[in-house]
Amino acid sequence: MKHLRLAILALSALMLLPACASYTPAPDAFHQSIEQPYRLDSGDRLKVVVFGEEGLTNSYAVDKAGFVALPLVGEVPARGRSPEQVRQEITQRLAEGYLNKPDVTVQVEQYRPFFIMGEVANGGQYTYVPGMTVQNAIAVAGGYTPRAEQDSMDVTRESGGQILTGRMVPTDPLMPGDTVYVRERWF
């Protein structure tokens, strides 16, 4: 009887191993979003420079509604737009009665944070740095716990208006606003 129980337990473990070890890469949309121009959202901070207009040159946050509020032109929609698209709209609005041939630049001064949770030492919200990988994010969060699955992580990202979750390896790139979940390993 004891041998039968051990055999059943061993067989059960062997059946679970392929499921634990399987790796399904993140959907193509994850990688496509990295290749596209950066899309702004709440939490991003922009540096807007209007040449010759010190009163308009400043840092502006994208608010929770997705707008950037500037003097003279008011609220400019930013959510889902590239910095270049926001620059074009600010330039157009300033040219409509405020400035003659405005020269405007818009840069991302600070990216919105990323989030990390699960089997890391210090889960939470952290500042995104361009070029960051999943492994960098784990290092910022204090590293893995002893129970962490280290081969792949789940990452949730907005891409094309959809919220997607996919499995990624530590060397995959992160985007601002991503949420990383480090799973617990089984063995």
Side-chain angles (χ1 to χ4, degrees):
M1 189 68 157
K2 182 177 179 184
H3 293 295
L4 181 61
R5 278 192 233 153
L6 285 174
I8 291 172
L9 184 61
L11 183 60
S12 298
L14 285 174
M15 291 174 66
L16 288 174
L17 276 178
C20 295
S22 68
Y23 169 73
T24 304
D28 287 340
F30 271 62
H31 302 292
Q32 291 170 354
S33 63
I34 290 171
E35 296 167 1
Q36 300 296 319
Y38 180 68
R39 300 293 175 191
L40 300 166
D41 206 346
S42 299
D44 288 327
R45 180 168 281 288
L46 304 177
K47 177 69 173 180
V48 178
V49 177
V50 182
F51 182 72
E53 299 294 328
E54 297 303 317
L56 297 175
T57 297
N58 207 343
S59 293
Y60 299 95
V62 179
D63 66 20
K64 64 182 176 180
F67 291 90
V68 177
L70 283 87
L72 300 179
V73 298
E75 291 186 332
V76 177
R79 176 174 286 139
R81 296 173 120 191
S82 69
E84 175 59 19
Q85 291 170 317
V86 172
R87 183 200 69 76
Q88 290 172 357
E89 182 155 344
I90 293 170
T91 301
Q92 178 187 353
R93 287 188 185 189
L94 287 171
E96 294 172 351
Y98 296 107
L99 298 175
N100 188 20
K101 295 184 181 181
D103 185 7
V104 179
T105 62
V106 174
Q107 298 176 296
V108 179
E109 184 175 70
Q110 182 178 0
Y111 293 90
R112 61 187 172 273
F114 72 92
F115 304 87
I116 188 163
M117 59 187 183
E119 295 299 322
V120 291
N122 300 302
Q125 172 181 313
Y126 293 94
T127 302
Y128 175 83
V129 177
M132 183 171 263
T133 65
V134 174
Q135 189 170 21
N136 298 141
I138 291 166
V140 168
Y144 297 107
T145 67
R147 296 183 309 261
E149 164 62 46
Q150 298 182 22
D151 294 331
S152 65
M153 296 77 208
D154 295 325
V155 176
T156 302
R157 168 180 300 160
E158 186 201 342
S159 179
Q162 295 181 332
I163 305 295
L164 302 171
T165 299
R167 186 125 331 145
M168 298 177 78
V169 295
T171 56
D172 282 337
L174 277 185
M175 295 288 293
D178 281 357
T179 300
V180 178
Y181 178 72
V182 179
R183 295 177 319 282
E184 182 178 359
R185 65 183 158 87
W186 289 89
F187 297 99

